């Protein structure tokens, strides 16, 4: 099951600029506006995004962020947990100590109250003790059909927890290095879902960000062998969050590719037409969340693959 029709989103209570994550997330930009104004704008963007998804029949579970402790990145829940069709729920080791507070047992309990089956909660946060991190489906892009995990290594994505998870899930690992230039300095891309997306039929990838030819070839080959049509995006498009997409469904079997308005505006006509051949595009306007949080539409959606209880 590559896509789901149910996603979980966390409505922010204290959204803002997180200096702990800005050191290796060059998409974040600080803002002189007051915290109250920033959070209010983020909430409006969030609510409009949820409404767009629900208008298309996507099942959206909205959880309110707890006001204390303040968690500026709580709007990006896909980094701290993932769910799987066999009932596994996995908690991930996070780079930022502030972000570790986003892991909330009550959200898991609420899923169970909604009749989702959680057979096993697997907590990988112990890797934080050794400064080893793997930030969920930010660090990884999963192709469930071919059972492949794509991951670019960075300060937030380390080999040891990645291999551990691959064995746990029975997935193959395609690990590589992806780079981007910031103020003349070449640095690792902090999350894989910034530069690639894998859907049912298409894979959107910034191949230009993979400097090593053998690694670039390995990514392309794996995607092609899995039956994906590879759609390259440019480095400039990546900086506009064009790699940060997610394919979702609704109960009627329709498919949607969700990307921000910023990402959509960066694509050319040919790329848009190709995506629309396989799915309908949903493109929320989330400029405040993108600018201060350094994440986009995909990061705001945690996929719920858990089975539903029958009684």
């Amino acid at each position: 099951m590559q896509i789901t029709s149910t996603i979980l989103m966390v409505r922010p209570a204290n959204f803002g600029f997180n200096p702990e994550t800005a050191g290796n997330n060059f998409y974040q930009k600080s803002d002189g506006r007051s915290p109250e104004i920033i959070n209010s704008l983020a909430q409006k963007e969030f609510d409009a995004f949820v409404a767009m998804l629900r208008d298309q029949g996507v099942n959206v579970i909205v959880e309110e962020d707890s006001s204390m402790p303040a968690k500026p990145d709580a709007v990006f829940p896909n980094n701290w947990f993932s769910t799987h069709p066999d009932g596994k729920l996995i908690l991930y080791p996070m780079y930022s100590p502030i972000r570790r507070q986003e892991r909330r047992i009550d959200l898991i309990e609420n899923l169970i109250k909604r009749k989702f089956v959680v057979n096993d909660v697997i907590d990988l946060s112990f890797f934080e003790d050794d400064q080893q991190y793997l930030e969920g489906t930010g660090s990884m892009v999963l192709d469930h059909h071919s059972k492949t995990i794509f991951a670019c290594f960075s300060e937030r994505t380390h080999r040891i927890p990645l291999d551990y998870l691959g064995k746990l899930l029975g997935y193959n690992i395609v690990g590589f290095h992806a780079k981007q230039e910031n103020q003349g300095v070449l640095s690792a891309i902090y999350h894989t879902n910034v530069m690639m997306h894998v859907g049912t039929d298409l894979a959107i990838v910034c191949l230009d960000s993979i400097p090593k030819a053998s690694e670039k070839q390995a990514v392309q080959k794996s995607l092609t062998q899995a039956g994906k049509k590879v759609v390259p995006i440019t480095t400039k498009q990546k900086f506009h969050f064009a790699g940060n997409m997610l394919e979702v469904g609704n109960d009627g079997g329709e498919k949607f590719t969700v990307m921000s308005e910023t990402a959509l505006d960066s694509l050319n006509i040919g790329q848009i037409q190709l995506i629309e051949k396989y799915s309908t595009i949903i493109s929320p306007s989330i400029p405040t969340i993108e600018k201060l949080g350094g994440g986009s539409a995909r990061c705001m959606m945690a996929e719920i693959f858990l089975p539903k209880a029958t009684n």
Side-chain angles (χ1 to χ4, degrees):
M1 184 166 56
Q2 181 63 20
I3 67 172
T4 179
S5 60
T6 302
I7 60 173
L8 182 145
M9 300 175 67
V10 177
R11 191 172 189 266
N14 291 285
F15 176 79
F17 182 80
N18 181 355
E20 283 188 359
T21 57
N24 51 36
N25 179 351
F26 305 121
Y27 295 81
Q28 287 179 252
K29 307 295 178 187
S30 59
D31 196 308
R33 293 172 293 183
S34 72
E36 293 77 16
I37 289 174
I38 288 169
N39 190 66
S40 176
L41 288 170
Q43 288 179 335
K44 289 175 182 176
E45 292 174 6
F46 177 93
D47 293 341
F49 186 0
V50 170
M52 291 180 77
L53 291 168
R54 287 177 170 168
D55 283 348
Q56 296 292 349
V58 180
N59 302 312
V60 184
I61 300 168
V62 174
E63 293 283 359
E64 295 287 339
D65 178 27
S66 53
S67 59
M68 293 299 291
K71 302 176 290 298
D73 294 307
V75 75
F76 305 130
N78 79 310
N79 296 144
W80 67 265
F81 83 100
S82 68
T83 65
H84 303 268
D86 61 357
K88 284 189 181 74
L89 189 149
I90 301 171
L91 305 177
Y92 290 95
M94 308 280 283
Y95 169 81
S96 164
I98 291 175
R99 294 212 62 189
R100 296 169 194 172
Q101 299 175 108
E102 295 172 30
R103 294 189 293 253
R104 290 169 53 191
I105 297 301
D106 62 309
L107 264 63
I108 300 172
E109 293 172 342
N110 287 345
L111 286 172
I112 296 170
K113 289 176 183 177
R114 292 175 181 270
K115 305 298 183 183
F116 289 100
V117 177
V118 178
N119 291 319
D120 196 8
V121 176
I122 300 170
D123 188 354
L124 304 184
S125 64
F126 65 87
F127 280 108
E128 292 167 356
D129 296 337
D130 296 316
Q131 297 182 308
Q132 294 282 311
Y133 311 117
L134 186 68
E135 297 191 331
T137 53
S139 288
M140 306 174 293
V141 172
L142 280 67
D143 180 20
H144 299 293
H145 283 162
S146 66
K147 293 192 173 182
T148 304
I149 297 172
F150 297 90
C152 63
F153 300 113
S154 72
E155 288 182 89
R156 305 201 201 177
T157 305
H158 291 113
R159 168 64 78 175
I160 293 174
L162 179 63
D163 286 345
Y164 186 96
L165 182 74
K167 290 174 183 174
L168 187 71
L169 295 178
Y171 279 39
N172 296 317
I173 306 293
V174 177
F176 57 96
H177 298 82
K179 304 288 185 179
Q180 62 190 8
E181 187 175 323
N182 181 61
Q183 297 179 340
V185 178
L186 205 59
S187 304
I189 293 177
Y190 80 109
H191 274 165
T192 312
N193 75 1
V194 168
M195 52 76 63
M196 76 180 293
H197 151 69
V198 177
T200 306
D201 302 289
L202 297 180
I204 315 293
V205 192
C206 182
L207 293 168
D208 291 344
S209 67
I210 307 174
K212 196 171 181 179
S214 60
E215 292 185 342
K216 184 184 299 187
Q217 185 179 19
V219 170
Q220 285 183 288
K221 183 179 179 182
S222 182
L223 290 169
T224 303
Q225 287 181 339
K228 312 297 179 185
K229 182 171 182 61
V230 178
V231 182
I233 56 172
T234 66
T235 299
K236 185 176 180 180
Q237 288 173 325
K238 173 186 63 63
F239 272 112
H240 287 88
F241 296 104
N244 198 247
M245 304 179 185
L246 182 67
E247 187 180 339
V248 301
N250 63 18
D251 291 337
E254 295 176 283
K255 296 176 184 176
F256 306 92
T257 299
V258 187
M259 69 188 81
S260 72
E261 190 176 84
T262 303
L264 179 61
D265 289 345
S266 76
L267 299 179
N268 62 46
I269 293 173
Q271 291 168 323
I272 293 171
Q273 288 176 338
L274 193 52
I275 294 168
E276 289 181 331
K277 181 180 177 181
Y278 298 97
S279 63
T280 300
I281 292 174
I282 298 175
S283 55
S285 176
I286 48 173
T288 307
I289 291 171
E290 286 180 322
K291 180 181 178 181
L292 281 92
S296 191
R298 193 276 170 263
C299 308
M300 296 171 67
M301 298 179 286
E303 300 153 282
I304 305 301
F305 286 106
L306 298 168
K308 269 292 191 78
T310 54
N311 52 17

